[in-house]
Amino acid sequence: MNDTYGHAAGDAILTAVAAKLMGSVRASDTVARLGGDEFGLILWNLSEADAAAKTWALEAAVSEATVGWEGTTLAVGASIGFAMLGPSDELAPMLAKADHAMYARKAARKNRLTVPPARLPLRR
C-alpha cells in the first residue's frame, strides 16, 4: 500500500487493523504493534481449539475492514498465526512459532485455500 498510495494511506490501514483487532478481543487480552505491518496479541486462558477459532475470527474481522482513501476504497487483509504459550516457554521461540504459522497461513491464503487455521500444520 505504501508504494502505491503513500505512507499516510499505509498508516490509515494500520489504524483500521488495530481498531478491528482491539474491538475483537476481551479487555483482558493485549494487542500490540510489533513493527511494520505486524501485530502481536496475547489472548489469555484459551484452549488450542479456541485459539484457532479466534484466529479465524480475527482474520475475518480484519478482512471486513476497508479504508477510504482519496476517492478509493482500500481493502484490508490479514494472515494470522498463533502459538500456545505455556508457563515454562520462552517468548522469542514462541514468537518464531507464531511467525512460522502466520507464513503458512499467508501461503494458504495466497493459494486461495479457505482452511481454518486450526487445520494448518502447527510447529511445536
Side-chain angles (χ1 to χ4, degrees), residues 31-92:
V31 176
R33 183 172 171 212
L34 299 177
D37 61 354
E38 293 187 359
F39 290 83
L41 288 83
I42 298 174
L43 308 175
W44 296 97
N45 299 321
L46 291 179
S47 67
E48 189 165 350
D50 288 341
K54 187 63 174 179
T55 298
W56 188 247
L58 288 168
E59 274 191 9
V62 170
S63 294
E64 291 171 358
T66 58
V67 174
W69 190 258
E70 296 181 352
T72 301
T73 300
L74 305 177
V76 180
S79 299
I80 301 175
F82 74 94
M84 300 300 292
L85 181 63
S88 62
D89 290 321
E90 295 288 327
L91 184 57

